[in-house]
Amino acid sequence: RSMVANEVTETFRAAGLSHLLAVSGLHMSVIAGGMMLLMRLLRIRRSVGNVVSAIVIVLFMWMVEFTPSVTRAGVMYLTVIIGQLFRYRSDSLNSLGLALTIILYVSPSAIYDIGLWLSFTAVVGILCITPRILRVLIAPFEGLPRVCYIPIRWIVNSISISIGCTLPLTPLLLLAFGEMSIVSPIANLFAVLPAGWMTILGCAGALLTLVPVLGFVGNGLILLAGLLAKWLILVSELSSRIPGALLRPTDIWMIVLIAGGGILISFAIVCCSWRHVCCLL
């Protein structure tokens, strides 16, 4: 991350893609998902695969010094894995609460870390707001043939996740940084999936280069990861050039107004129907 140029960091920030440059739960989910897929391809027993995945997750958390966002994702994944080992189904919100409890018990001062607030708020938005947005946006396409419905649902799901994250994050971003990206939902649509594959290909390539016989395969995977990285930079540059891509209210009352609106709309979506949301707007 230290090798990323400042201008690239700025374009990612303007496009709302800064989370791709931070060591976050996104990378944890990619690595954990990649490990589970590898175990499945190798036809390893699910219980053994879960134990191996748990070890990898703990090692990754230790490697990045247990940052709040990674610890949050790690504890949630470990809760799911432990539940599968004992044939219990875990609850996402309970797992999130458990992660927050562990983090604050070990380090109470983490409550002052804006990264912790951003990470947990984004996940709450995904868990509580995204399903309701997805239900409304996907309804017009329910009758389409499966070959058309699947890609449309993936696109709508990606947009719903971006909106679900953005709504509750708006107050925090404005109050903490005085700015927020307007183009973030669209930019993430073109960036999150390539970023996941870039992480998988980069990690796999780095490991394969350690094996002399498979070094050429590792170099090929790293080359593909590099091409995906160039794609991410291109997406961030194009998105950041859109007029008004980065909202920077100069008046503190405007910041409070927008932040308060984000809180009210998020609360209405979680607790009320879309009819109440329209009335609120």
Side-chain angles (χ1 to χ4, degrees):
R1 187 175 58 181
S2 61
M3 298 174 65
V4 179
N6 291 333
E7 54 269 21
V8 174
T9 302
E10 287 299 315
T11 57
F12 270 69
R13 182 173 59 84
L17 300 176
S18 295
H19 61 96
L20 299 181
L21 298 179
V23 181
S24 64
L26 173 65
H27 303 90
M28 169 68 74
S29 63
V30 170
I31 292 175
M35 282 300 304
M36 292 180 179
L37 177 60
L38 178 61
M39 297 296 107
R40 194 176 305 166
L41 292 176
L42 295 177
R43 297 184 180 277
I44 296 176
R45 289 175 52 188
R46 187 171 184 176
S47 58
V48 177
N50 285 338
V51 173
V52 174
S53 299
I55 294 174
V56 172
I57 289 172
V58 173
L59 289 176
F60 182 76
M61 293 166 61
W62 170 77
M63 184 177 67
V64 300
E65 298 178 349
F66 295 94
T67 57
S69 58
V70 172
T71 302
R72 182 265 308 158
V75 171
M76 291 184 70
Y77 270 103
L78 290 175
T79 304
V80 173
I81 290 173
I82 293 173
Q84 291 178 351
L85 289 175
F86 291 95
R87 301 181 183 275
Y88 283 99
R89 179 178 297 178
S90 60
D91 179 79
S92 298
L93 286 176
N94 284 341
S95 301
L96 185 65
L98 175 63
L100 181 61
T101 301
I102 293 175
I103 291 174
L104 295 181
Y105 178 79
V106 175
S107 178
S109 61
I111 193 66
Y112 300 106
D113 186 353
I114 186 62
L116 180 141
W117 284 85
L118 293 175
S119 175
F120 278 84
T121 301
V123 176
V124 169
I126 292 175
L127 296 178
C128 299
I129 299 178
T130 294
R132 290 166 170 79
I133 297 176
L134 176 62
R135 193 179 305 123
V136 173
L137 295 182
I138 199 62
F141 307 100
E142 293 288 350
L144 292 177
R146 184 176 177 83
V147 66
C148 299
Y149 177 76
I150 291 179
I152 290 177
R153 183 178 176 85
W154 179 84
I155 295 174
V156 173
N157 185 64
S158 300
I159 295 175
S160 301
I161 291 175
S162 295
I163 297 175
C165 289
T166 301
L167 279 176
L169 282 178
T170 297
L172 286 177
L173 292 173
L174 287 176
L175 294 176
F177 305 109
E179 63 182 24
M180 66 166 292
S181 175
I182 303 298
V183 298
S184 176
I186 302 301
N188 277 278
L189 181 62
F190 294 97
V192 171
L193 185 61
W197 279 107
M198 182 190 68
T199 303
I200 293 175
L201 293 174
C203 291
L207 292 175
L208 290 176
T209 54
L210 300 177
V211 183
V213 180
L214 300 176
F216 72 97
V217 179
N219 290 329
L221 295 181
I222 291 176
L223 175 63
L224 293 176
L227 294 176
L228 289 174
K230 292 183 181 297
W231 166 258
L232 295 178
I233 293 175
L234 177 63
V235 170
S236 67
E237 289 178 347
L238 294 177
S239 301
S240 62
R241 292 176 185 173
I242 297 176
L246 196 61
L247 177 64
R248 290 174 175 169
T250 55
D251 191 344
I252 184 62
W253 293 110
M254 180 62 69
I255 294 178
V256 173
L257 179 63
I258 298 175
I263 294 174
L264 289 176
I265 294 174
S266 301
F267 179 78
I269 292 175
V270 173
C271 301
C272 308
S273 65
W274 277 101
R275 180 171 58 84
H276 291 91
V277 177
C278 294
C279 294
L280 178 63
L281 292 175

